[in-house]
Amino acid sequence: MSTEVKDYFPLNKLDEIVYTSNHDLIQENANVDGNSPMGQMSKVSAEVTKSYAKELILSEDVRQAIDENYIHPHDLDFLITGTTTCCQIPLGKVLKDGFNTGHGHMREPKDIVSAMALASIIFQSNQNMQHGGQSYPMFEYDLAPYVNKTFEKNKKRIQSYATSYTAEEIDEIAWQETNRDVYQACEAFIHNCNSMHSRGGGQVPFVSINYGTDTSKAGRLLIKNLLLATKAGLGNGETPIFPIQIFKMKKGINFEPGELNYDLYQLALETTAKRLFPNFSFIDSTFNKVHYDGTPESEVAYMGCRTRVMANRHGEENGVQRGNLSFTSINLVKLALAAKNEFDYFKLLDYYTGLTIKQLMERFDFQTKKKAGNFPFLYGQHIWRGSENLQQEDKLGDVLKQGTLSIGFIGLAEALVALTGKHHGESEESYQLGYRIIQYLRDRVNQASEDYDLNFSLIATPAEGLSGKFTRKDQAVFGKIPGITDRDYYTNSFHVPVYYSIKSIDKAKIEGSFHRLCNGGHITYIECDGDVSKNIKALDVLVRAMAAADIGYGAINHPVDQCGVCGYSGIIENACPNCQNADESRIGRIRRITGYLVGDMKRWNSAKCAEEKERVKHQ
């Protein structure tokens, strides 16, 4: 091995992966089994390609900012591939046109069972084209035609033998059979999402679905059965961790008694009480309703942990056939520790924000030099907007400008403690400073959009591995400073610290004010205690509190445990209340880590485990 190559070849990290001696390194992503052969191969590849990108592609000042712990380009290991982060897939269009995964053409399905089976395959195929998540933004609208096809097929069959039945009786029987077919299709879809591996076998696809507003008979039937299948769980009653499900709240459709889909909202509350999904998005929030024109395409849709793609300088302002190109996070805590005062802090913030914009543009330029043929499913099957006329040798600049470039941030709470002595949950003065900091970032994002004529956005970073990585490096320089660096993690984005006791309505109000600034994505969690399935009314109150606080995307956390012996799902203290199993290795503790669920907390890194232990319940 030449000296030049050895300089960026991370041999020490490879040893830690090969001998699984660094749990935090191999489990930076709890969705990947870092101990498995394919998980290890993926991690080895990631560390080598990250080093290659840093040493041979990134600018010197960007590399220095990374090494000094000020910024973090996410998924740096994928930079050399030119992949984009995520995409909202036009499921209805892909199903109607048919698609090719590289081994033959899949024609349009003729019923809901086939349609949902193909929906799983589309997710799996596209996952290998991007390094982030995938989403269906109009899930029930796209699949309702295939519910109707199933009904017509059932009706035709019944008519062939039930000659003495009236037309109304035939329709009733056909809908009953269609209801059964839809449930089985939903059940199979959920099972597929939790069992089909991608990326060389390292993980199941990271997928989301948005639904809740289709009031047609077929659409409502699909939503109902999807929720019922989710509530029932997997084969042994396990809670499905994918797809991430997002129920879209809309006044006039599902928000109040008497509205057509209000019953489905109630079922969604029952389901989230048992399975933690669905989460809830709010079409009527001030920053989401500006895009809404009454069409399904204009309804806001979220991806995975929190990603939101709506505004667009180069076409229609909706999320369909678009996604995030890449994002880079700023360490707000390190800036505060390095600053002498508030004025100095904003000078540093200005410098590193500019450097982050530079880095995002350099990565964008690298992505645009890739060819459509490098991503045969993403562009060959017209998943991405504007790719319909691309030939294999065409470069991607004209279509990638439809996507977003995002600046993220982490540790607002700890940064405020460093600057004022208190975080934004305990001091109005600190809150005002925190708001000015995030407003400043949003202003810089808006200016970058103007300067480069691209869709820059601000995202509330879903820090998983980064949460502890930033902290450990800062501890090595500054030591353990109370309230700032004395924990194993930094607080996610603009969140009030998980360990701080605060009423749920106050938490929603404080965090909700930041949602409008973070146009690239955001989420707020409320932590509940005990068996919430016994108090659905309280969950309804929490969802309404989120809506009143102008939250765009929210979720309700509560303990969900799974006995690996008898399949019991609920709260397990020291032993399973059903079979008395007390073997902790056979009890799954299902918790939300950044926006998605993990069925085994043994895969969590130490920083997120520490954070989970300190989460207080909100009253």
Side-chain angles (χ1 to χ4, degrees), residues 413-414 423-425 491 495-502 507 616 618:
E414 289 80 7
H423 59 71
H424 53 312
T491 299
H495 289 179
V496 173
V498 298
Y499 52 81
Y500 182 68
S501 182
I502 187 173
K507 185 177 192 289
V616 299
H618 303 122

Side-chain angles (χ1 to χ4, degrees), residues 67 80 123 169 209 222 249 255 271 366 395 412 433 594:
D67 291 341
I80 66 168
F123 262 153
E169 289 173 329
I209 55 176
L222 184 74
M249 300 297 300
F255 204 74
T271 306
F366 188 87
K395 293 185 179 179
L412 178 64
L433 175 58
T594 57

Side-chain angles (χ1 to χ4, degrees), residues 203-257:
Q203 65 182 110
V204 293
F206 194 100
V207 296
S208 309
I209 55 176
N210 295 257
Y211 57 80
T213 57
D214 186 352
T215 57
S216 70
K217 185 165 186 174
R220 283 175 44 78
L221 193 68
L222 184 74
I223 301 169
K224 181 194 77 171
N225 281 293
L226 180 74
L227 289 166
L228 289 174
T230 302
K231 191 177 178 182
L234 299 177
N236 289 325
E238 303 96 333
T239 292
I241 63 172
F242 287 110
I244 295 170
Q245 299 185 36
I246 302 151
F247 192 94
K248 296 185 283 188
M249 300 297 300
K250 180 74 182 75
K251 293 176 182 177
I253 294 179
N254 54 32
F255 204 74
E256 300 291 348

